[in-house]
């Protein structure tokens, strides 16, 4: 019984850690999906750039898309993943 509980706790912890420290981003130019490791834990799984490769300013986006772009910049562009 203790072994089953240990396995369940280990599995839950591994899945939670994977969810917090791994993510998928959509490349802003080629639209490919790539798996990456986040530099800090966050519940968000999928990252994309609402601006893409256009010349639009972040101020012209809606509030939700501004937040998406900030997450994309922090986790993808600032880490050098979307070059």
């Amino acid at each position: 019984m203790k072994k089953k509980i240990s396995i369940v706790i280990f599995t839950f912890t591994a899945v939670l850690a994977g969810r917090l420290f791994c993510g998928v981003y959509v490349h802003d130019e080629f639209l490919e999906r790539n798996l990456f490791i986040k530099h800090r834990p966050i519940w968000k799984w999928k990252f994309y750039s609402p601006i893409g490769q256009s010349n639009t300013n972040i101020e012209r986006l809606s509030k939700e898309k501004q937040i998406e772009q900030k997450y994309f910049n922090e986790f993808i562009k600032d880490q050098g993943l979307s070059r």
Side-chain angles (χ1 to χ4, degrees):
M1 185 66 177
K2 286 184 180 183
K3 186 175 182 180
K4 288 183 182 182
I5 293 173
S6 297
I7 291 172
V8 169
I9 290 173
F10 175 76
T11 304
F12 176 75
T13 304
V15 169
L16 182 63
R19 175 77 165 130
L20 290 174
F21 285 101
C22 293
V24 174
Y25 74 93
V26 179
H27 195 280
D28 56 345
E29 183 178 359
F30 303 114
L31 301 177
E32 298 171 336
R33 294 175 189 237
N34 299 299
L35 183 67
F36 74 103
I37 297 175
K38 302 174 201 170
H39 66 276
R40 68 176 175 93
I42 186 172
W43 190 253
K44 185 165 179 55
W45 175 256
K46 185 178 178 185
F47 296 83
Y48 71 96
S49 174
I51 294 176
Q53 294 290 317
S54 69
N55 293 332
T56 306
N57 289 340
I58 195 168
E59 292 83 21
R60 301 185 87 194
L61 297 174
S62 67
K63 205 63 157 163
E64 295 82 21
K65 290 190 177 189
Q66 284 181 7
I67 293 170
E68 284 292 331
Q69 186 63 42
K70 287 178 184 177
Y71 277 139
F72 187 81
N73 290 345
E74 177 186 353
F75 285 93
I76 309 305
K77 281 196 172 187
D78 295 347
Q79 301 300 318
L81 296 175
S82 182
R83 292 182 187 216

